[in-house]
Amino acid sequence: MGNCFGKESSRSDNFDTPGRVVGSAPPQPTPRAAVPKIDGQGRSLGGGQAAETTDARAAAAKAAEERATRASQPKGKLGQALAKEKQQTRVGTLGEISRDERRRKNIDEAAEARNYN
C-alpha cells in the first residue's frame, strides 16, 4: 500500500537489482580527493575594508554589537507598534484590557436600554 497522492517509484520492485552473497564485504566507496590544507589566516567575507582587528573574538563582538543596534531600531509601522508593545508593562496591559472591557460593557448596556424603549 502507498500514498494515493504519491508518485510511483522508478523501480517496480526493491529486489530487481542483484544483491550480494552472505558474508561478503559491502562495496567500497569511491575515493575522494584530499581537501587542501590552508596555512595562515583566512580572509573575511563582505565589506571592502581591510581587517582592522586581527583578534577573532574582538571582531565577533563588534559584529554582535552592530547587529544589536540594528535590531533595536524599529522598522516601519509594525516595528514601531511592536516596540511600543514591548515597552508596556504587565500592569499597563491589564489596565488597557480592563478599560476595553468596561467600554464594551457600557456600549452593550446603552444598546440594551435603547432596545427596551
Side-chain angles (χ1 to χ4, degrees):
M1 289 180 54
N3 185 352
C4 63
F5 296 109
K7 294 186 264 182
E8 288 187 29
S9 64
S10 60
R11 296 189 329 215
S12 62
D13 190 19
N14 290 334
F15 300 102
D16 283 345
T17 58
R20 59 181 186 182
V21 180
V22 175
S24 67
Q28 296 296 323
T30 57
R32 293 177 27 181
V35 177
K37 189 169 187 174
I38 300 174
D39 293 332
Q41 188 172 353
R43 296 177 294 180
S44 61
L45 298 175
Q49 302 172 355
E52 295 174 3
T53 58
T54 56
D55 185 19
R57 181 179 281 175
K62 182 179 177 183
E65 287 175 4
E66 289 176 5
R67 281 193 305 272
T69 56
R70 277 189 270 131
S72 66
Q73 298 170 351
K75 295 181 178 98
K77 199 175 203 180
L78 288 175
Q80 290 172 350
L82 179 64
K84 183 179 177 183
E85 193 173 301
K86 281 183 179 179
Q87 289 175 349
Q88 200 172 26
T89 63
R90 182 173 187 263
V91 174
T93 304
L94 292 174
E96 185 177 333
I97 292 170
S98 177
R99 282 190 299 275
D100 290 343
E101 286 296 321
R102 280 193 226 120
R103 208 175 297 130
R104 188 176 302 126
K105 184 178 176 184
N106 290 340
I107 291 170
D108 289 343
E109 287 175 354
E112 187 177 327
R114 270 182 270 141
N115 291 340
Y116 182 74
N117 288 335

